[in-house]
PDB file of all heavy atoms in Angstrom:
ATOM      1  N   HIS A 286      -5.518  29.696  -1.728  1.00 97.00           N
ATOM      2  CA  HIS A 286      -4.475  29.892  -0.736  1.00 97.00           C
ATOM      3  C   HIS A 286      -4.172  31.366  -0.511  1.00 97.00           C
ATOM      4  O   HIS A 286      -3.791  32.071  -1.446  1.00 97.00           O
ATOM      5  CB  HIS A 286      -3.223  29.147  -1.219  1.00 97.00           C
ATOM      6  CG  HIS A 286      -2.232  28.833  -0.148  1.00 97.00           C
ATOM      7  ND1 HIS A 286      -2.544  28.723   1.183  1.00 97.00           N
ATOM      8  CD2 HIS A 286      -0.900  28.588  -0.230  1.00 97.00           C
ATOM      9  CE1 HIS A 286      -1.465  28.405   1.877  1.00 97.00           C
ATOM     10  NE2 HIS A 286      -0.447  28.318   1.034  1.00 97.00           N
ATOM     11  N   GLY A 287      -4.359  31.815   0.701  1.00 97.00           N
ATOM     12  CA  GLY A 287      -4.032  33.199   1.039  1.00 97.00           C
ATOM     13  C   GLY A 287      -5.085  34.219   0.656  1.00 97.00           C
ATOM     14  O   GLY A 287      -4.886  35.413   0.857  1.00 97.00           O
ATOM     15  N   ARG A 288      -6.193  33.828   0.105  1.00 98.00           N
ATOM     16  CA  ARG A 288      -7.140  34.793  -0.481  1.00 98.00           C
ATOM     17  C   ARG A 288      -8.393  35.005   0.341  1.00 98.00           C
ATOM     18  O   ARG A 288      -9.317  35.686  -0.095  1.00 98.00           O
ATOM     19  CB  ARG A 288      -7.541  34.349  -1.898  1.00 98.00           C
ATOM     20  CG  ARG A 288      -6.376  33.990  -2.802  1.00 98.00           C
ATOM     21  CD  ARG A 288      -5.364  35.100  -2.940  1.00 98.00           C
ATOM     22  NE  ARG A 288      -4.250  34.708  -3.796  1.00 98.00           N
ATOM     23  CZ  ARG A 288      -3.044  35.245  -3.761  1.00 98.00           C
ATOM     24  NH1 ARG A 288      -2.774  36.201  -2.891  1.00 98.00           N
ATOM     25  NH2 ARG A 288      -2.106  34.824  -4.585  1.00 98.00           N
ATOM     26  N   THR A 289      -8.442  34.440   1.541  1.00 98.00           N
ATOM     27  CA  THR A 289      -9.644  34.607   2.357  1.00 98.00           C
ATOM     28  C   THR A 289      -9.851  36.069   2.716  1.00 98.00           C
ATOM     29  O   THR A 289     -10.958  36.587   2.664  1.00 98.00           O
ATOM     30  CB  THR A 289      -9.513  33.777   3.644  1.00 98.00           C
ATOM     31  OG1 THR A 289      -8.935  32.528   3.324  1.00 98.00           O
ATOM     32  CG2 THR A 289     -10.861  33.528   4.263  1.00 98.00           C
ATOM     33  N   THR A 290      -8.762  36.744   3.101  1.00 98.00           N
ATOM     34  CA  THR A 290      -8.902  38.135   3.538  1.00 98.00           C
ATOM     35  C   THR A 290      -9.416  39.047   2.425  1.00 98.00           C
ATOM     36  O   THR A 290     -10.409  39.753   2.633  1.00 98.00           O
ATOM     37  CB  THR A 290      -7.574  38.648   4.132  1.00 98.00           C
ATOM     38  OG1 THR A 290      -7.123  37.715   5.106  1.00 98.00           O
ATOM     39  CG2 THR A 290      -7.752  39.997   4.776  1.00 98.00           C
ATOM     40  N   PRO A 291      -8.813  39.080   1.238  1.00 98.00           N
ATOM     41  CA  PRO A 291      -9.340  40.004   0.220  1.00 98.00           C
ATOM     42  C   PRO A 291     -10.769  39.656  -0.182  1.00 98.00           C
ATOM     43  O   PRO A 291     -11.553  40.546  -0.533  1.00 98.00           O
ATOM     44  CB  PRO A 291      -8.383  39.839  -0.964  1.00 98.00           C
ATOM     45  CG  PRO A 291      -7.655  38.567  -0.730  1.00 98.00           C
ATOM     46  CD  PRO A 291      -7.618  38.364   0.743  1.00 98.00           C
ATOM     47  N   LEU A 292     -11.130  38.383  -0.120  1.00 98.00           N
ATOM     48  CA  LEU A 292     -12.506  38.012  -0.436  1.00 98.00           C
ATOM     49  C   LEU A 292     -13.458  38.590   0.595  1.00 98.00           C
ATOM     50  O   LEU A 292     -14.489  39.189   0.253  1.00 98.00           O
ATOM     51  CB  LEU A 292     -12.658  36.489  -0.502  1.00 98.00           C
ATOM     52  CG  LEU A 292     -14.025  35.946  -0.929  1.00 98.00           C
ATOM     53  CD1 LEU A 292     -13.870  34.585  -1.588  1.00 98.00           C
ATOM     54  CD2 LEU A 292     -14.996  35.823   0.219  1.00 98.00           C
ATOM     55  N   LEU A 293     -13.116  38.449   1.866  1.00 98.00           N
ATOM     56  CA  LEU A 293     -14.006  38.940   2.916  1.00 98.00           C
ATOM     57  C   LEU A 293     -14.026  40.464   2.967  1.00 98.00           C
ATOM     58  O   LEU A 293     -15.032  41.058   3.366  1.00 98.00           O
ATOM     59  CB  LEU A 293     -13.628  38.338   4.269  1.00 98.00           C
ATOM     60  CG  LEU A 293     -13.937  36.836   4.382  1.00 98.00           C
ATOM     61  CD1 LEU A 293     -13.410  36.266   5.690  1.00 98.00           C
ATOM     62  CD2 LEU A 293     -15.437  36.580   4.271  1.00 98.00           C
ATOM     63  N   VAL A 294     -12.930  41.105   2.540  1.00 98.00           N
ATOM     64  CA  VAL A 294     -12.933  42.566   2.443  1.00 98.00           C
ATOM     65  C   VAL A 294     -14.017  43.000   1.454  1.00 98.00           C
ATOM     66  O   VAL A 294     -14.832  43.878   1.740  1.00 98.00           O
ATOM     67  CB  VAL A 294     -11.547  43.090   1.999  1.00 98.00           C
ATOM     68  CG1 VAL A 294     -11.627  44.543   1.540  1.00 98.00           C
ATOM     69  CG2 VAL A 294     -10.536  42.968   3.136  1.00 98.00           C
ATOM     70  N   GLY A 295     -14.042  42.345   0.298  1.00 98.00           N
ATOM     71  CA  GLY A 295     -15.045  42.683  -0.716  1.00 98.00           C
ATOM     72  C   GLY A 295     -16.451  42.356  -0.236  1.00 98.00           C
ATOM     73  O   GLY A 295     -17.388  43.144  -0.420  1.00 98.00           O
ATOM     74  N   TYR A 296     -16.604  41.219   0.398  1.00 98.00           N
ATOM     75  CA  TYR A 296     -17.909  40.781   0.910  1.00 98.00           C
ATOM     76  C   TYR A 296     -18.429  41.752   1.959  1.00 98.00           C
ATOM     77  O   TYR A 296     -19.592  42.159   1.944  1.00 98.00           O
ATOM     78  CB  TYR A 296     -17.745  39.376   1.491  1.00 98.00           C
ATOM     79  CG  TYR A 296     -18.933  38.825   2.228  1.00 98.00           C
ATOM     80  CD1 TYR A 296     -19.953  38.167   1.549  1.00 98.00           C
ATOM     81  CD2 TYR A 296     -19.034  38.952   3.605  1.00 98.00           C
ATOM     82  CE1 TYR A 296     -21.037  37.634   2.237  1.00 98.00           C
ATOM     83  CE2 TYR A 296     -20.112  38.426   4.284  1.00 98.00           C
ATOM     84  CZ  TYR A 296     -21.107  37.767   3.610  1.00 98.00           C
ATOM     85  OH  TYR A 296     -22.181  37.254   4.289  1.00 98.00           O
ATOM     86  N   LYS A 297     -17.555  42.153   2.857  1.00 98.00           N
ATOM     87  CA  LYS A 297     -17.986  43.048   3.937  1.00 98.00           C
ATOM     88  C   LYS A 297     -18.408  44.408   3.402  1.00 98.00           C
ATOM     89  O   LYS A 297     -19.292  45.061   3.962  1.00 98.00           O
ATOM     90  CB  LYS A 297     -16.852  43.191   4.960  1.00 98.00           C
ATOM     91  CG  LYS A 297     -17.127  44.141   6.102  1.00 98.00           C
ATOM     92  CD  LYS A 297     -17.524  43.443   7.374  1.00 98.00           C
ATOM     93  CE  LYS A 297     -17.880  44.486   8.448  1.00 98.00           C
ATOM     94  NZ  LYS A 297     -18.184  43.912   9.751  1.00 98.00           N
ATOM     95  N   MET A 298     -17.775  44.823   2.289  1.00 98.00           N
ATOM     96  CA  MET A 298     -18.144  46.120   1.731  1.00 98.00           C
ATOM     97  C   MET A 298     -19.605  46.120   1.282  1.00 98.00           C
ATOM     98  O   MET A 298     -20.280  47.147   1.343  1.00 98.00           O
ATOM     99  CB  MET A 298     -17.223  46.485   0.558  1.00 98.00           C
ATOM    100  CG  MET A 298     -15.849  46.936   0.999  1.00 98.00           C
ATOM    101  SD  MET A 298     -14.756  47.319  -0.391  1.00 98.00           S
ATOM    102  CE  MET A 298     -15.346  48.941  -0.856  1.00 98.00           C
TER     103      MET A 298
END
Side-chain angles (χ1 to χ4, degrees):
Chain A
H286 200 24
R288 311 304 179 204
T289 319
T290 309
L292 184 152
L293 290 174
V294 165
Y296 172 86
K297 177 101 184 184
M298 284 178 79

